[in-house]
Every structure is written in structure tokens, then in C-alpha cells.
Amino acid sequence: MPSAMEGSEGGEEGEILRYEETEDNSVSPTDLSELLKEGTKESHDRAENTQFVKDFLKGRIKKELFKLATVALYFTYSALEEEMDRNKDNPVFAPLYFPVELHRREALVKDLTYFYGEDWKEKVQCSEATQHYVDRIHHVGQHEPELLVAHAYTRYMGDLSGGQVLKKVAQRALKLPSTEEGIQFYVFDNVSNAQQFKQLYRARMNALDLDKNTKERIVEEANRAFRFNMQVFDELDKIGRSLTEEAQDGGFPVHDGKGDIRKCPYYADKLGKVGPGCPYHAAVALAKQPLVQLLLATCVAVVAGAAAWYLL
């Protein structure tokens, strides 16, 4: 099994965990990490294929929608970390308590301050779909704390994996500062090696003293967590369709309604009125070539695969 090395056992405040990991060749099909991996594949695929996530991966994310997603994350993680704090000494969860390394609430406060200003609390509210998610987390933390493992695992392991891809997509698409304002949620300053930390986390999870029935309930709860996330995604997607279109970095220009639309190269090409000498026309023609389309599809598939862990 991977071994947790010297340092704090659970990441006490003021300490940074030191850890070393070796490749784990002794994972059993009955280990909780494997049961979760296999038991949530279908939910993972469905979440990954929601319209909101697909658009996000392609860089088609409006700033206002990204802000609302950040609000949803703030309420979700506030609930999750409140319940984790409540159960930090409970043996069914204590080994997975890493506040210094993982907690996201304060990072989200920084992001909301960046987007909404110092009075952000007066400008945001918990959406209906997010509230259902929050209510479930509180119920679990207070009445079935062993199931808190499912929510923590689903969120944090994803943040350390595909979440890092989404950070770069958001930074580029929204033209956010290189100093990482607005995307602090994705920055884990106290995790020096994400892959090793995830191995440590899974090892701790597999070492929990849980019977078969409890493990099955945790897998079921993880699938429930996926459903809550998909409901939030669907809610954001509906809001996004009502927002004014914004020109995204690398996207097509959006006509502002002023001047002659026929002079816009994108719309002119649509009308077939741009000659082959036009750079835009040439680019469109190139993009229609089968080999180029195959390469573009491959790139999208690679990014989607890298982001998979974000949605676990």
C-alpha cells in the first residue's frame, strides 16, 4: 500500500503534510477506492457529457456564468467543510481530514471578492439546485457521517485532477490575470505533488474500517453526489442560454449590431461572399479538411480525458 510518511497525520493547521508514495500494486477490487472508481463510471460519463461541461472544456464559458458557478462552489464547499470540521475526530472520516491541503472555502472567498467586490456577500445567493446539494451534505454530516467520504472524495480528487485543466481553460477563455485572480479555487499551494497526494488519499480511504454494506452505501452516495452536480450543471446551462453572447478568446467574432453585417468576415463567409484570398475564408476552408478535423477531434478528446477526474 502507499505509505504516508513523516509530517502531520491529518494536516493540522499551520503544518504542511510531507508525504512519499510508491506505486500501489496491491489494490484489491474490494478496496473502497476501486469500488468507487468502478461504481461511478456511468455517472462520471453522464456528468462529463452535460452541455455545461462540454462547453467549458471547449472554452465556451461566459464570464457571468463562470461567476455563478463559483458562487455554487462556494455554498457547496462551505457546507462540505463545515461538516468535515464537525467530523474531524470521527473515526469514519478523520483519516481524510486535510484542511490545510484541501479546504477550498477561503480560496473561493478570494475569487468571489475578485469578481463581485468586497461586498460580494450582498450580491450572491444560493441557487435552488445548489441548495438541494447543500442540504444533502448537511444531512450526511450530521446523521450519516460515514457517507461524507463520498462527497469529499468526489469533489477534492476531481479538483486535483481535471480541475487543473479547467483552470487553464477558464484563465485563457475569460482572459483572467496570469497572477491567478479569479481561479484561486483551483490553486492548491500546500499540495506539492497532486498525483502522490491522491495516492495517499486513496490509501487512507482504503484503510478505513468499513464493512461491505457501508462501502456499498458510500458508492451509492457518490453517485448521488454526481446527480447533484449534474443538476447544478443543468441549472447553469439554462441560465447560460439566457445570457447575452460574449466573444471568447479563440472564438468567432460576434457582430455588435452596428454597421454593415456584410463587412464582417464571419457572416460574409456564411453568405458565401468572401473570396478565397480572404485569410478567414482560407482558415475556414482548412478547418473543413478531414485530416484537420481528425486532429481537432483528437485534441478535444485529450482535454476531455484529462478533465475526467474533475467530475469523478
Side-chain angles (χ1 to χ4, degrees):
M1 292 290 289
S3 57
M5 300 300 287
E6 72 250 70
S8 64
E9 282 298 308
E12 294 296 329
E13 187 172 358
E15 296 179 302
I16 299 177
L17 182 75
R18 292 191 179 94
Y19 46 83
E20 294 179 6
E21 301 292 336
T22 56
E23 187 174 352
D24 184 9
N25 295 315
S26 58
V27 175
S28 165
T30 60
D31 281 341
L32 182 56
S33 66
E34 288 299 295
L35 292 172
L36 280 166
K37 179 181 177 181
E38 295 301 317
T40 61
K41 276 185 176 180
E42 185 177 341
S43 293
H44 186 178
D45 289 343
R46 287 202 304 269
E48 191 178 20
N49 282 286
T50 58
Q51 193 61 47
F52 175 80
V53 174
K54 290 193 293 186
D55 286 346
F56 197 148
L57 287 171
K58 294 175 183 177
R60 298 172 184 169
I61 179 74
K62 301 179 180 73
K63 188 171 185 178
E64 191 60 34
L65 201 60
F66 185 79
K67 289 164 61 177
L68 292 175
T70 304
V71 172
L73 288 170
Y74 168 77
F75 285 108
T76 300
Y77 280 83
S78 293
L80 180 58
E81 288 163 11
E82 178 182 338
E83 297 307 329
M84 289 166 62
D85 289 343
R86 185 195 308 276
N87 289 282
K88 65 182 180 180
D89 297 319
N90 189 324
V92 301
F93 183 77
L96 301 180
Y97 185 65
F98 293 99
V100 173
E101 291 80 14
L102 295 181
H103 280 198
R104 298 288 85 203
R105 184 180 181 278
E106 292 308 312
L108 286 161
V109 168
K110 292 178 182 178
D111 289 340
L112 291 176
T113 301
Y114 172 78
F115 286 123
Y116 292 98
E118 294 294 334
D119 59 343
W120 63 269
K121 285 187 177 181
E122 301 172 11
K123 299 177 181 178
V124 304
Q125 60 181 3
C126 188
S127 71
E128 182 179 356
T130 304
Q131 188 62 57
H132 292 321
Y133 195 1
V134 165
D135 290 344
R136 179 59 185 176
I137 291 172
H138 282 310
H139 171 84
V140 164
Q142 295 170 31
H143 303 288
E144 301 176 272
E146 65 278 8
L147 301 185
L148 199 58
V149 174
H151 292 277
Y153 173 77
T154 300
R155 291 303 326 176
Y156 292 115
M157 293 299 96
D159 299 336
L160 288 169
S161 301
Q164 300 308 298
V165 175
L166 295 178
K167 176 180 77 171
K168 296 177 182 178
V169 172
Q171 192 171 39
R172 179 177 182 274
L174 302 178
K175 299 181 176 64
L176 296 173
S178 60
T179 45
E180 299 182 328
E181 284 95 339
I183 50 173
Q184 283 296 300
F185 168 72
Y186 300 104
V187 178
F188 289 81
D189 288 329
N190 295 325
V191 175
S192 59
N193 185 306
Q195 186 60 35
Q196 289 180 357
F197 186 87
K198 287 184 292 184
Q199 290 176 4
L200 167 65
Y201 197 92
R202 294 187 190 104
R204 291 279 188 94
M205 192 165 57
N206 291 337
L208 292 172
D209 186 15
L210 304 172
D211 59 29
K212 180 181 178 181
N213 179 64
T214 302
K215 290 179 180 179
E216 291 174 350
R217 290 172 57 231
I218 290 173
V219 173
E220 181 181 350
E221 187 67 22
N223 281 303
R224 187 193 294 259
F226 271 111
R227 291 195 293 273
F228 281 121
N229 277 285
M230 285 186 278
Q231 288 165 9
V232 173
F233 294 154
D234 288 342
E235 184 181 63
L236 288 168
D237 186 50
K238 290 177 183 177
I239 294 172
R241 291 198 294 268
S242 69
L243 295 175
T244 303
E245 287 292 332
E246 298 172 358
Q248 298 298 332
D249 187 22
F252 290 125
V254 177
H255 192 261
D256 61 4
K258 300 177 181 179
D260 187 351
I261 192 171
R262 292 171 296 178
K263 294 181 181 179
C264 170
Y266 172 63
Y267 289 99
D269 177 69
K270 285 287 189 181
L271 296 172
K273 296 181 180 180
V274 177
C278 170
Y280 183 83
H281 186 279
V284 171
L286 178 63
K288 293 178 181 178
Q289 296 300 313
L291 179 59
V292 174
Q293 289 183 336
L294 176 61
L295 290 172
L296 289 173
T298 301
C299 289
V300 170
V302 169
V303 172
W309 262 107
Y310 180 66
L311 299 165
L312 276 180

